[in-house]
Amino acid sequence: MSTYAIVGAGLAGAKAAQTLREEGFTGEIVLIGAEQERPYERPPLSKGYLQGSTEVAKVYVHEPGWYAEHDVRLLLGVAATAVDPEAHTVHLDSGERQPYDKLLIATGATPRPLPVDGADLEGVHYLRTLADSQALRAAFAHQGNVVVIGGGWIGLETAAAARQAGCAVTIVEPEPTPLHRTFGPAVGEIFAELHRRHGVEVLLGVSVARLEGAGHVRHVITSDGRSLPADDVVVGIGAAPNVELARGAGLEVADGIVVDASLRTSHPDIYAAGDVAEAMNPLLGRPIRVEHWANALNGGPAAARAMLGRDVVYDRVPYFFTDQYELGMEFSGDITGHDRVVYRGPVESLEFVAFWLRENRVLAGMNVNVWDVTDDIQALVRAGRAGTAVDPARLTDPGVPLGDLLPGPA
Ligand SMILES: Cc1cc2nc3c(=O)[nH]c(=O)nc-3n(C[C@H](O)[C@H](O)[C@H](O)COP(=O)(O)OP(=O)(O)OC[C@H]3O[C@@H](n4cnc5c(N)ncnc54)[C@H](O)[C@@H]3O)c2cc1C
């Protein structure tokens, strides 16, 4: 009987195990997770769960009994320490060795530590795990001064949750706008303005010089000499992929574990998916590492099918969603190389779709409080990547259904 091992019991790993069974794999499945929790989804940790509106039972990928019912051996609180590709073995920190025929590495990412003096003071938080979210929720309940370092997704969502809990919130972001690299200046500014409207102080073009306090953090000192009072600090300055196992095993590693379009690594029996994988995306024509929920949700199953020898071409349009205050949005595509941003609908009323174009080809689209358009936006992105241009006047006219802009059957 063959054994398929999965290291990393997050969303990608759990969905891969599920797909193996759904696709009829009858061999042994071992799912190895360093955390004590069974696999769970992280988006609620900075939204509903952090705000107390989503109960914990809702964050898990499967019911507790699912693993036994599907004959998936779930090892929790066990970390893989090494992979020996020649011996087809995973070494575990329990001292055991887990043999495998095929292996999926889905080890996710770890928040980047804040590289300044005082970063180890009490009251300095990171947000990746359920326990991190619980700690933050307890901290926000004191309604004190919260300084959020980093105006990326984690920073913005956490700032919104802190504000809604009644804290005084300051965001410190070194770029000229939040989400600058993801969206560029104009759309990044929409997010800055949203937070300002909700009473957040948004400091842009400013970085953090050091944190001060005796035992517990008390002040954040910025690069321009400000001293911001802080009862709690949230660090959201990005995450680094957990590539150590792959590196130790001699697999090719660049920004993440390098995989081809079937999510196979440089070793034929080892695959990688989720946040840790840098996958060749045929649609974009280049490798990309995507740190988003949908990529773990779909990448885990794609890797599982590839492990079973199915033909897999993982060419999904990168997709992301967020909820902050009254703003709900979905983003599809990749803005790299755009020459223009156009809007469909009024930006001020937070009900619009933004499109990033290059020579009138759609590279990406973001729907804000406009729903059920993601399929059309993704089809426009696919058409754009295939070289089809659209008429920007029709694209930005809310009276023209997006579907009418799609190329007809050849
Ligand atoms: C707070 C938060 C909010 C988010 N919100 C959104 C959102 O709104 N929209 C969106 O699209 N995306 C969001 N994301 C991103 C999304 O959650 C991730 O892309 C997704 O969790 C990646 O899943 P994964 O399975 O690849 O990795 P992970 O979920 O990180 O799971 C990897 C698991 O592997 C374990 N592991 C690591 N090394 C080892 C080892 N050596 N041995 C055993 N186990 C190991 C880790 O402990 C972890 O449990 C959010 C992320 C966070 C942290």
Side-chain angles (χ1 to χ4, degrees):
M1 187 167 67
S2 51
T3 299
Y4 283 12
I6 302 169
V7 177
L11 180 59
K15 283 287 168 187
Q18 180 183 336
T19 302
L20 287 174
R21 284 291 178 246
E22 283 170 359
E23 295 278 326
F25 179 66
T26 54
E28 191 184 13
I29 302 174
V30 186
L31 178 56
I32 302 158
E35 293 185 60
Q36 295 291 346
E37 300 285 344
R38 72 181 191 275
Y40 59 91
E41 308 210 11
R42 299 186 196 274
L45 308 188
S46 51
K47 307 179 190 64
Y49 182 72
L50 182 56
Q51 291 164 358
S53 58
T54 302
E55 11 164 346
V56 71
K58 291 266 177 350
V59 309
Y60 294 102
V61 181
H62 296 111
E63 295 293 316
W66 185 91
Y67 299 91
E69 278 160 26
H70 292 80
D71 204 13
V72 172
R73 196 148 71 85
L74 179 61
L75 306 182
L76 293 180
V78 176
T81 53
V83 171
D84 181 341
E86 296 320 310
H88 282 68
T89 315
V90 181
H91 297 215
L92 306 177
D93 66 356
S94 59
E96 283 164 281
R97 290 180 183 201
Q98 174 62 52
Y100 67 83
D101 294 284
K102 297 222 169 133
L103 172 68
L104 173 63
I105 303 180
T107 44
T110 301
R112 291 185 199 277
L114 184 68
V116 302
D117 285 349
D120 53 357
L121 288 166
E122 275 172 46
V124 178
H125 303 261
Y126 292 82
L127 179 51
R128 184 80 196 176
T129 65
L130 202 48
D132 293 340
S133 183
Q134 282 157 358
L136 265 189
R137 204 207 288 192
F140 292 168
H142 296 122
Q143 301 187 320
N145 291 305
V146 172
V147 177
V148 174
I149 301 177
W153 298 115
I154 299 281
L156 294 180
E157 291 180 0
T158 308
R163 203 60 207 106
Q164 280 163 324
C167 303
V169 180
T170 306
I171 296 174
V172 182
E173 164 58 52
E175 299 278 350
T177 68
L179 303 167
H180 202 257
R181 261 165 297 165
T182 313
F183 289 151
V187 176
E189 179 54 28
I190 295 172
F191 284 84
E193 196 42 41
L194 171 74
H195 279 265
R196 285 188 203 108
R197 269 206 310 277
H198 283 272
V200 174
E201 189 175 1
V202 183
L203 302 180
L204 299 169
V206 175
S207 56
V208 168
R210 64 183 184 282
L211 308 186
E212 290 181 348
H216 198 284
V217 68
R218 285 290 161 243
H219 289 97
V220 172
I221 311 300
T222 60
S223 53
D224 59 355
R226 274 182 252 209
S227 175
L228 308 172
D231 300 300
D232 288 282
V233 169
V234 184
V235 181
I237 57 170
N242 295 323
V243 294
E244 300 76 10
L245 283 180
R247 208 171 254 140
L251 304 179
E252 196 185 334
V253 172
D255 180 35
I257 303 175
V258 174
V259 291
D260 63 17
S262 73
L263 305 185
R264 196 198 310 231
T265 69
S266 52
H267 190 285
D269 293 328
I270 307 180
Y271 295 74
D275 281 10
V276 78
E278 184 181 1
M280 171 48 79
N281 184 311
L283 180 72
L284 304 181
R286 64 179 173 84
I288 181 168
R289 190 169 72 79
V290 179
E291 283 185 345
H292 297 324
W293 170 86
N295 180 55
L297 184 78
N298 298 308
R305 281 192 287 273
M307 290 163 86
L308 292 169
R310 314 269 198 275
D311 264 343
V312 169
V313 180
Y314 188 68
D315 66 349
R316 297 190 77 94
V317 177
Y319 166 90
F320 180 83
F321 66 90
T322 187
D323 293 305
Q324 297 168 33
Y325 314 105
E326 72 276 20
L327 180 149
M329 82 88 184
E330 299 171 284
F331 173 84
S332 298
D334 176 5
I335 72 163
T336 310
H338 76 278
D339 54 26
R340 173 176 186 205
V341 185
V342 296
Y343 300 92
R344 178 185 171 93
V347 173
E348 320 72 60
S349 65
L350 285 188
E351 208 174 306
F352 65 95
V353 186
F355 289 100
W356 286 257
L357 307 181
R358 180 181 178 82
E359 292 164 357
N360 292 341
R361 289 179 286 113
V362 175
L363 298 184
M366 174 178 83
N367 46 308
V368 173
N369 293 332
V370 174
W371 304 110
D372 301 322
V373 289
T374 295
D375 287 349
D376 284 341
I377 291 173
Q378 295 199 352
L380 284 167
V381 170
R382 284 185 184 280
R385 293 278 165 190
T388 305
V390 291
D391 173 1
R394 297 185 73 220
L395 184 67
T396 52
D397 179 352
V400 177
L402 280 180
D404 288 3
L405 293 148
L406 294 168

Short mmCIF file of all heavy atoms in Angstrom, two decimals, residues 364-397:
data_model
loop_
_atom_site.label_atom_id
_atom_site.label_comp_id
_atom_site.label_asym_id
_atom_site.label_seq_id
_atom_site.Cartn_x
_atom_site.Cartn_y
_atom_site.Cartn_z
N ALA A 364 -6.16 43.16 -14.30
CA ALA A 364 -6.69 42.86 -12.96
C ALA A 364 -7.95 43.67 -12.74
O ALA A 364 -8.15 44.72 -13.38
CB ALA A 364 -5.65 43.22 -11.89
N GLY A 365 -8.78 43.19 -11.84
CA GLY A 365 -9.98 43.92 -11.48
C GLY A 365 -10.29 43.76 -10.01
O GLY A 365 -9.99 42.73 -9.41
N MET A 366 -10.84 44.83 -9.43
CA MET A 366 -11.19 44.79 -8.00
C MET A 366 -12.63 45.27 -7.86
O MET A 366 -12.93 46.42 -8.17
CB MET A 366 -10.26 45.70 -7.21
CG MET A 366 -10.64 45.83 -5.75
SD MET A 366 -9.50 46.87 -4.83
CE MET A 366 -10.13 48.48 -5.22
N ASN A 367 -13.50 44.40 -7.38
CA ASN A 367 -14.90 44.81 -7.16
C ASN A 367 -15.08 45.13 -5.68
O ASN A 367 -14.79 44.32 -4.81
CB ASN A 367 -15.88 43.74 -7.62
CG ASN A 367 -15.55 42.33 -7.19
OD1 ASN A 367 -14.43 41.86 -7.41
ND2 ASN A 367 -16.50 41.64 -6.59
N VAL A 368 -15.52 46.37 -5.44
CA VAL A 368 -15.75 46.86 -4.08
C VAL A 368 -17.25 47.00 -3.87
O VAL A 368 -17.91 47.79 -4.56
CB VAL A 368 -15.04 48.22 -3.88
CG1 VAL A 368 -15.42 48.82 -2.53
CG2 VAL A 368 -13.54 48.07 -4.00
N ASN A 369 -17.78 46.22 -2.94
CA ASN A 369 -19.22 46.23 -2.64
C ASN A 369 -20.09 46.04 -3.89
O ASN A 369 -21.22 46.55 -3.96
CB ASN A 369 -19.63 47.51 -1.90
CG ASN A 369 -19.01 47.56 -0.51
OD1 ASN A 369 -18.74 46.53 0.09
ND2 ASN A 369 -18.76 48.75 -0.01
N VAL A 370 -19.55 45.37 -4.88
CA VAL A 370 -20.30 44.97 -6.07
C VAL A 370 -20.08 43.47 -6.15
O VAL A 370 -18.94 43.01 -6.12
CB VAL A 370 -19.73 45.64 -7.35
CG1 VAL A 370 -20.42 45.10 -8.59
CG2 VAL A 370 -19.84 47.15 -7.28
N TRP A 371 -21.16 42.71 -6.23
CA TRP A 371 -21.00 41.26 -6.05
C TRP A 371 -21.38 40.48 -7.29
O TRP A 371 -21.99 41.02 -8.21
CB TRP A 371 -21.79 40.80 -4.81
CG TRP A 371 -21.33 41.57 -3.60
CD1 TRP A 371 -22.05 42.51 -2.92
CD2 TRP A 371 -20.03 41.55 -3.01
NE1 TRP A 371 -21.29 43.05 -1.92
CE2 TRP A 371 -20.04 42.51 -1.95
CE3 TRP A 371 -18.86 40.85 -3.25
CZ2 TRP A 371 -18.92 42.74 -1.14
CZ3 TRP A 371 -17.74 41.09 -2.45
CH2 TRP A 371 -17.79 42.02 -1.42
N ASP A 372 -21.00 39.24 -7.29
CA ASP A 372 -21.31 38.29 -8.38
C ASP A 372 -20.71 38.71 -9.72
O ASP A 372 -21.30 38.48 -10.78
CB ASP A 372 -22.83 38.09 -8.54
CG ASP A 372 -23.44 37.57 -7.24
OD1 ASP A 372 -22.77 36.74 -6.59
OD2 ASP A 372 -24.53 38.01 -6.87
N VAL A 373 -19.56 39.38 -9.68
CA VAL A 373 -18.90 39.76 -10.93
C VAL A 373 -17.52 39.12 -11.07
O VAL A 373 -16.84 39.34 -12.08
CB VAL A 373 -18.76 41.31 -11.03
CG1 VAL A 373 -20.10 41.97 -11.26
CG2 VAL A 373 -18.08 41.89 -9.80
N THR A 374 -17.13 38.32 -10.09
CA THR A 374 -15.77 37.78 -10.13
C THR A 374 -15.54 36.88 -11.34
O THR A 374 -14.48 36.94 -11.97
CB THR A 374 -15.47 37.01 -8.82
OG1 THR A 374 -15.48 37.98 -7.77
CG2 THR A 374 -14.12 36.34 -8.84
N ASP A 375 -16.52 36.07 -11.70
CA ASP A 375 -16.33 35.20 -12.87
C ASP A 375 -16.09 36.03 -14.13
O ASP A 375 -15.20 35.72 -14.92
CB ASP A 375 -17.55 34.29 -13.08
CG ASP A 375 -17.60 33.20 -12.01
OD1 ASP A 375 -16.61 33.03 -11.28
OD2 ASP A 375 -18.65 32.52 -11.92
N ASP A 376 -16.89 37.10 -14.28
CA ASP A 376 -16.71 37.95 -15.47
C ASP A 376 -15.35 38.66 -15.43
O ASP A 376 -14.67 38.76 -16.45
CB ASP A 376 -17.83 39.00 -15.54
CG ASP A 376 -19.15 38.40 -16.02
OD1 ASP A 376 -19.10 37.30 -16.63
OD2 ASP A 376 -20.20 39.00 -15.77
N ILE A 377 -14.97 39.16 -14.24
CA ILE A 377 -13.68 39.85 -14.15
C ILE A 377 -12.54 38.87 -14.48
O ILE A 377 -11.62 39.19 -15.24
CB ILE A 377 -13.48 40.46 -12.74
CG1 ILE A 377 -14.46 41.62 -12.55
CG2 ILE A 377 -12.05 40.94 -12.54
CD1 ILE A 377 -14.48 42.20 -11.14
N GLN A 378 -12.65 37.66 -13.94
CA GLN A 378 -11.57 36.70 -14.22
C GLN A 378 -11.55 36.31 -15.70
O GLN A 378 -10.49 36.10 -16.28
CB GLN A 378 -11.71 35.48 -13.31
CG GLN A 378 -11.51 35.87 -11.84
CD GLN A 378 -11.17 34.71 -10.93
OE1 GLN A 378 -11.22 33.55 -11.33
NE2 GLN A 378 -10.82 35.02 -9.69
N ALA A 379 -12.72 36.25 -16.32
CA ALA A 379 -12.76 35.95 -17.76
C ALA A 379 -12.13 37.11 -18.55
O ALA A 379 -11.42 36.88 -19.54
CB ALA A 379 -14.20 35.72 -18.21
N LEU A 380 -12.37 38.35 -18.10
CA LEU A 380 -11.74 39.50 -18.78
C LEU A 380 -10.22 39.46 -18.61
O LEU A 380 -9.47 39.80 -19.53
CB LEU A 380 -12.30 40.82 -18.21
CG LEU A 380 -13.71 41.19 -18.68
CD1 LEU A 380 -14.29 42.31 -17.82
CD2 LEU A 380 -13.69 41.61 -20.16
N VAL A 381 -9.77 39.04 -17.42
CA VAL A 381 -8.32 38.93 -17.18
C VAL A 381 -7.74 37.85 -18.11
O VAL A 381 -6.70 38.05 -18.75
CB VAL A 381 -8.03 38.61 -15.70
CG1 VAL A 381 -6.55 38.25 -15.50
CG2 VAL A 381 -8.42 39.79 -14.81
N ARG A 382 -8.42 36.72 -18.20
CA ARG A 382 -7.93 35.65 -19.09
C ARG A 382 -7.89 36.13 -20.54
O ARG A 382 -6.93 35.89 -21.27
CB ARG A 382 -8.83 34.41 -18.99
CG ARG A 382 -8.59 33.63 -17.73
CD ARG A 382 -9.39 32.33 -17.67
NE ARG A 382 -9.16 31.72 -16.39
CZ ARG A 382 -8.09 31.00 -16.07
NH1 ARG A 382 -7.17 30.76 -16.98
NH2 ARG A 382 -7.92 30.53 -14.85
N ALA A 383 -8.96 36.84 -20.94
CA ALA A 383 -9.00 37.36 -22.32
C ALA A 383 -7.87 38.38 -22.53
O ALA A 383 -7.18 38.36 -23.55
CB ALA A 383 -10.35 38.00 -22.59
N GLY A 384 -7.66 39.23 -21.53
CA GLY A 384 -6.59 40.23 -21.62
C GLY A 384 -5.23 39.58 -21.75
O GLY A 384 -4.39 40.00 -22.55
N ARG A 385 -5.02 38.54 -20.96
CA ARG A 385 -3.73 37.83 -21.03
C ARG A 385 -3.55 37.17 -22.39
O ARG A 385 -2.43 36.95 -22.84
CB ARG A 385 -3.67 36.76 -19.92
CG ARG A 385 -3.62 37.36 -18.53
CD ARG A 385 -2.22 37.79 -18.15
NE ARG A 385 -2.25 38.66 -16.98
CZ ARG A 385 -1.20 39.35 -16.55
NH1 ARG A 385 -0.04 39.29 -17.16
NH2 ARG A 385 -1.30 40.13 -15.49
N ALA A 386 -4.68 36.82 -23.02
CA ALA A 386 -4.61 36.19 -24.34
C ALA A 386 -4.50 37.24 -25.45
O ALA A 386 -4.48 36.90 -26.63
CB ALA A 386 -5.82 35.30 -24.57
N GLY A 387 -4.47 38.53 -25.06
CA GLY A 387 -4.23 39.59 -26.05
C GLY A 387 -5.47 40.36 -26.48
O GLY A 387 -5.39 41.24 -27.33
N THR A 388 -6.65 40.06 -25.89
CA THR A 388 -7.88 40.76 -26.30
C THR A 388 -8.02 42.08 -25.56
O THR A 388 -8.03 42.10 -24.32
CB THR A 388 -9.10 39.88 -25.99
OG1 THR A 388 -8.92 38.62 -26.63
CG2 THR A 388 -10.38 40.52 -26.49
N ALA A 389 -8.17 43.15 -26.31
CA ALA A 389 -8.37 44.48 -25.71
C ALA A 389 -9.87 44.73 -25.55
O ALA A 389 -10.69 44.10 -26.22
CB ALA A 389 -7.75 45.55 -26.59
N VAL A 390 -10.22 45.63 -24.62
CA VAL A 390 -11.62 46.02 -24.45
C VAL A 390 -11.73 47.52 -24.72
O VAL A 390 -10.73 48.24 -24.70
CB VAL A 390 -12.13 45.74 -23.01
CG1 VAL A 390 -12.24 44.25 -22.76
CG2 VAL A 390 -11.26 46.42 -21.97
N ASP A 391 -12.95 47.97 -24.93
CA ASP A 391 -13.20 49.40 -25.10
C ASP A 391 -13.37 49.99 -23.70
O ASP A 391 -14.37 49.68 -23.02
CB ASP A 391 -14.47 49.57 -25.94
CG ASP A 391 -14.90 51.03 -26.02
OD1 ASP A 391 -14.21 51.89 -25.44
OD2 ASP A 391 -15.94 51.31 -26.65
N PRO A 392 -12.43 50.84 -23.24
CA PRO A 392 -12.52 51.35 -21.86
C PRO A 392 -13.82 52.10 -21.59
O PRO A 392 -14.32 52.08 -20.46
CB PRO A 392 -11.31 52.29 -21.74
CG PRO A 392 -10.39 51.88 -22.81
CD PRO A 392 -11.22 51.32 -23.93
N ALA A 393 -14.39 52.74 -22.61
CA ALA A 393 -15.63 53.50 -22.39
C ALA A 393 -16.76 52.55 -22.01
O ALA A 393 -17.58 52.84 -21.13
CB ALA A 393 -15.99 54.28 -23.65
N ARG A 394 -16.81 51.40 -22.64
CA ARG A 394 -17.86 50.42 -22.30
C ARG A 394 -17.53 49.72 -20.98
O ARG A 394 -18.41 49.43 -20.18
CB ARG A 394 -18.00 49.40 -23.43
CG ARG A 394 -18.44 50.05 -24.75
CD ARG A 394 -18.69 49.00 -25.82
NE ARG A 394 -19.90 48.26 -25.58
CZ ARG A 394 -20.03 46.96 -25.76
NH1 ARG A 394 -19.02 46.23 -26.16
NH2 ARG A 394 -21.18 46.37 -25.53
N LEU A 395 -16.24 49.47 -20.77
CA LEU A 395 -15.82 48.80 -19.53
C LEU A 395 -16.22 49.61 -18.30
O LEU A 395 -16.62 49.06 -17.27
CB LEU A 395 -14.30 48.60 -19.55
CG LEU A 395 -13.67 47.85 -18.39
CD1 LEU A 395 -14.11 46.38 -18.40
CD2 LEU A 395 -12.14 47.93 -18.44
N THR A 396 -16.15 50.94 -18.43
CA THR A 396 -16.41 51.80 -17.28
C THR A 396 -17.87 52.24 -17.21
O THR A 396 -18.23 53.00 -16.31
CB THR A 396 -15.50 53.04 -17.32
OG1 THR A 396 -15.64 53.66 -18.60
CG2 THR A 396 -14.06 52.67 -17.09
N ASP A 397 -18.68 51.77 -18.13
CA ASP A 397 -20.10 52.14 -18.14
C ASP A 397 -20.90 51.06 -17.39
O ASP A 397 -21.08 49.95 -17.90
CB ASP A 397 -20.57 52.24 -19.59
CG ASP A 397 -22.06 52.60 -19.68
OD1 ASP A 397 -22.74 52.62 -18.62
OD2 ASP A 397 -22.52 52.84 -20.80
#
